[in-house]
Amino acid sequence: MKSVVHALGVAVGSLALVASLAGTAAADPTDPPLTVDDAKAQVAELETEAAAIDQEYVGVKEQIKASKAKLKQKQADVAAQTAKVAQMRQQVGQVALAQFQNRSINTTARLFLTEDTDGFLNQVSTVEKVSQNQNSALQDYQSEQAELASLERTTATDLAQLEAQQKSLTDLRSQSDGKISQAKAVLAKLTEEERQRIAAEEARLAQAAAADANSATTGNSDPSGPTDGGGAVAGSGRAAKAIAFAKAQLGKPYRYAAAGPNAYDCSGLTSAAWSAAGVHIDRTSQAQFNDGTSVAKSDLQPGDLVFFYSGISHVAIYVGNGTIIHAPHPGASVRYAKLDSMPYAGARRVG
């Protein structure tokens, strides 16, 4: 019962927040009439789009993190190569000076002028070996100099890519904010009574999902019992730890690109839950879709990751009896929902 009451409060609170934000705007009397069902559909679509952009945003942030690490290593390589080339440049300068000093008299002339012919020939042999080494040093210098130039070029490219990724973050955030503003504008076209009806309906759905989740944890006392088939188990081992963590986050707000501890986006919640269970998974919903092993919908077990929408833009944790825990979208909080409340795209078992 506690989880049901909690879910009810979460759902009402989250929609009341959206409604209160929207209530400050006045509807344009020239706008065509908007039914509650139309408003719900439009808001749901806009919130889903905003959440999908959030996952794209998080993906770009992960790319930036990797790019920064790569750039840092490249910059260290450039510094090391610059020092190496500088040292070789000094050696090559000494080689060039030696060649300049010995340029005036050729070997044949020296042979005629020397009194110790055998000694001179031995000296010539040594000089030729030195000359070969000098040529090798010159070639090595040229090769290392080319490597330095290549490193400098690729580092500049990486830096430009990083700057473009940073700009992409700003653009994505602006797009998401735009979707939320549109959702608020849709709600503003409704009356206060109509907004309350939407909030009450969402609360009812959350309450029903919480009740089903509660029955999943109490309807089977065998912790190693069967997979979900109406008599689901609460999960065992690491899956149970991941679910327990997710339950402890119920009521915490959805926040753009957040992974706890005070707020979450959808993949931030799932990655944090499984991290609490000692299992590392990727950060975004799209990347998590490649973690673990694929699971058929009919074989779902508590703790499995479940994914939604064609672009794999949303992820949740399955808790049994056709129920999930997820961080839904901006303006909402972590809560229970039915597995079939969104277009199902697949599932993965990571624990």
Side-chain angles (χ1 to χ4, degrees), residues 55 228 242-243 246 265-271 273-274 281 284-328 335-351:
Q55 289 303 289
D228 183 55
I243 292 172
D265 66 10
C266 68
S267 59
L269 175 64
T270 53
S271 61
W274 273 103
I281 60 175
T284 68
S285 57
Q286 293 89 348
Q288 288 176 13
F289 195 63
N290 294 316
D291 290 334
T293 57
S294 179
V295 181
K297 190 176 183 181
S298 58
D299 294 329
L300 283 174
Q301 292 182 359
D304 288 342
L305 299 179
V306 284
F307 300 86
F308 302 93
Y309 304 104
S310 59
I312 317 297
S313 58
H314 192 64
V315 61
I317 296 179
Y318 186 69
V319 295
N321 209 20
T323 307
I324 62 173
I325 292 177
H326 69 148
R335 65 189 181 209
Y336 290 104
K338 296 300 293 180
L339 177 66
D340 293 331
S341 62
M342 296 170 284
Y344 181 85
R348 308 289 292 188
R349 185 161 298 150
V350 297

Side-chain angles (χ1 to χ4, degrees), residues 50-188:
I53 293 171
D54 177 21
Q55 289 303 289
E56 188 177 352
Y57 179 96
V58 173
V60 173
K61 282 189 70 174
E62 290 295 296
Q63 292 173 10
I64 288 175
K65 184 191 298 184
S67 295
K68 284 183 176 178
K70 181 180 177 183
L71 181 60
K72 184 177 180 180
Q73 182 59 52
K74 279 281 186 69
Q75 289 171 333
D77 291 344
V78 167
Q81 188 70 10
T82 299
K84 184 176 182 180
V85 168
Q87 183 179 13
M88 293 183 72
R89 183 181 293 116
Q90 184 178 7
Q91 295 172 349
V92 168
Q94 293 171 349
V95 169
L97 178 61
Q99 289 179 340
F100 176 81
Q101 290 172 338
N102 293 329
R103 79 192 189 288
S104 56
I105 304 177
N106 63 33
T107 302
T108 303
R110 290 185 183 185
L111 182 59
F112 280 110
L113 293 173
T114 186
E115 295 180 358
D116 184 5
T117 304
D118 291 337
F120 177 73
L121 290 174
N122 288 334
Q123 186 182 22
V124 167
S125 177
T126 301
V127 169
E128 287 177 348
K129 290 181 180 179
V130 171
S131 179
Q132 291 173 359
N133 291 337
Q134 290 173 340
N135 289 334
S136 177
L138 285 169
Q139 292 172 355
D140 289 345
Y141 171 72
Q142 291 171 340
S143 175
E144 295 298 338
Q145 197 172 36
E147 175 66 15
L148 174 59
S150 176
L151 280 172
E152 289 174 336
R153 284 194 301 272
T154 58
T155 299
T157 300
D158 290 346
L159 182 59
Q161 181 183 20
L162 181 59
E163 291 172 348
Q165 289 171 331
Q166 294 281 12
K167 181 180 182 301
S168 176
L169 279 186
T170 302
D171 293 342
L172 287 170
R173 185 58 190 265
S174 177
Q175 291 175 35
S176 178
D177 289 345
K179 297 293 182 183
I180 299 304
S181 295
Q182 291 177 52
K184 291 177 182 178
V186 171
L187 287 173

